[in-house]
Amino acid sequence: MHHNPKIIVPNANLRDLGGNKTQTGMEVKTGYLFRSGHLSELGEEDFKQFKNLQLKTIIDLRRPSETEKYPTPNLEEVETLNFSVSSDDNEFAVAANFLNGEQLPTEITGKIIEKYFKNSVTKKLDSYIPVFESLTNPDNFPLLFHCVAGKDRTGIVSAFLLGILDVDESMIIEDYLLTNKLREKEMRLKEKQVRDHLVETTENSSETLIEERMEIAQSLLYAKENFITSVFDEVKKNFGTWDNFRLNGLKISDERVKELKNFLLTD
């Protein structure tokens, strides 16, 4: 996995989106567009790798409480733009209480995460419009966008961006699922901690009940293909095509996307 040239810092889920091929035979340039999880725990060598990206802009998709807990390294030459794309009461924030050892409302199931992804295309789309105002401006590159794990909010933004750049959906899925390989050790450890906690604290802890709650935990921990394909489905259902979604959903003009493609894509 470390030999994959796209992967910059595995522990931070930091990788280059360059190399993804479009349906017209172009590909995203390397060295201009990056995605990651939070960057507050970079070791010395990893920090050098991060600094060597020579970023101009960082787009932080997290809530203020998260940025305070996991602050982004401050580099004088890099502008950090904060766009929280999720409120404190969104599906992920509520379900995440479960991983923190708090009581999980009984009506919440693993489907809540898929709902979050679907809502990003519909009910929550307005929160992504200012993100893409900055993300489609060539003056802001090289650019990195991130959340906490670099999985879901980052995955949604990546899917939107690669989709409007005409990258094949199979490659978008592959990009999303790469998180599972990079964070496998961490996620397996957390999964065991959650299961042990459930066995110890769940009243009348039947195996069925524990497995139901583990399904929710796994949805929070792992990238799942149906999450990202639900985004594709909602785009097609509500907008018909990625082009219509780009123009009427994200409010990116024809001129703006043409400029972005000219800058970011190569033969």
Side-chain angles (χ1 to χ4, degrees):
M1 179 56 60
H2 293 252
H3 298 298
N4 186 332
K6 290 184 179 182
I7 299 165
I8 314 297
V9 180
N11 291 340
N13 202 5
L14 171 54
R15 40 204 166 96
D16 193 330
L17 283 171
N20 279 298
K21 296 187 184 300
T22 73
Q23 297 178 61
T24 58
M26 307 283 280
E27 70 174 46
V28 180
K29 293 178 184 176
T30 59
Y32 286 92
L33 183 62
F34 305 89
R35 56 174 289 178
S36 76
H38 75 84
L39 301 162
S40 66
E41 298 171 351
L42 295 176
E44 185 177 345
E45 287 304 312
D46 290 342
F47 183 76
K48 285 181 183 176
Q49 291 278 82
F50 166 64
K51 193 171 183 180
N52 285 343
L53 300 179
Q54 297 184 305
L55 297 173
K56 195 168 183 181
T57 310
I58 292 175
I59 292 180
D60 191 334
L61 304 167
R62 301 174 299 166
R63 299 185 296 278
S65 58
E66 295 171 316
T67 61
E68 184 177 348
K69 185 175 182 181
Y70 302 111
T72 300
N74 185 26
L75 298 177
E76 289 183 7
E77 64 273 23
V78 182
E79 181 180 16
T80 298
L81 305 174
N82 297 95
F83 299 107
S84 175
V85 294
S86 62
S87 59
D88 288 330
D89 62 351
N90 76 67
E91 295 90 346
F92 256 102
V94 172
N97 290 335
F98 174 56
L99 293 184
N100 296 330
E102 300 174 27
Q103 182 61 44
L104 183 73
T106 54
E107 68 271 15
I108 292 180
T109 69
K111 289 290 183 184
I112 195 172
I113 312 305
E114 188 173 326
K115 179 183 175 185
Y116 179 89
F117 276 75
K118 288 182 176 181
N119 284 346
S120 69
V121 182
T122 54
K123 297 178 181 178
K124 307 293 186 182
L125 186 58
D126 283 353
S127 65
Y128 289 91
I129 292 174
V131 173
F132 277 82
E133 178 66 25
S134 295
L135 194 52
T136 57
N137 183 353
D139 291 341
N140 289 335
F141 289 84
L143 179 150
L144 177 145
F145 57 94
H146 76 98
C147 55
V148 174
K151 177 170 72 77
D152 298 307
R153 285 166 289 187
T154 297
I156 288 167
V157 169
S158 181
F160 285 176
L161 182 60
L162 295 178
I164 65 177
L165 289 173
D166 304 318
V167 170
D168 189 82
E169 290 179 359
S170 64
M171 296 197 76
I172 299 175
I173 293 169
E174 184 180 329
D175 171 67
Y176 176 64
L177 295 178
L178 185 55
T179 288
N180 291 338
K181 295 179 181 178
L182 296 184
R183 302 186 69 241
E184 181 179 15
K185 184 177 179 181
E186 176 187 349
M187 292 189 290
R188 288 192 183 280
L189 177 61
K190 187 63 177 179
E191 189 175 0
K192 183 181 184 304
Q193 291 172 345
V194 172
R195 185 180 291 277
D196 290 345
H197 178 72
L198 282 173
V199 170
E200 291 174 8
T201 60
T202 304
E203 293 184 16
N204 304 317
S205 56
S206 70
E207 187 63 27
T208 301
L209 180 59
I210 288 176
E211 288 308 315
E212 285 176 356
R213 295 191 171 185
M214 282 307 301
E215 179 187 347
I216 301 166
Q218 288 161 353
S219 294
L220 287 165
L221 289 169
Y222 294 94
K224 296 193 173 184
E225 185 170 335
N226 63 293
F227 296 161
I228 211 71
T229 55
S230 71
V231 169
F232 303 158
D233 293 342
E234 289 298 301
V235 166
K236 290 163 189 171
K237 175 182 171 185
N238 292 279
F239 297 93
T241 66
W242 279 103
D243 235 16
N244 285 338
F245 173 66
R246 180 263 303 168
L247 184 62
N248 301 311
L250 291 173
K251 312 299 182 186
I252 302 168
S253 69
D254 293 341
E255 294 77 16
R256 185 67 168 253
V257 77
K258 182 179 179 181
E259 183 184 16
L260 179 68
K261 287 180 177 180
N262 287 339
F263 175 79
L264 205 52
L265 301 181
T266 185
D267 292 325

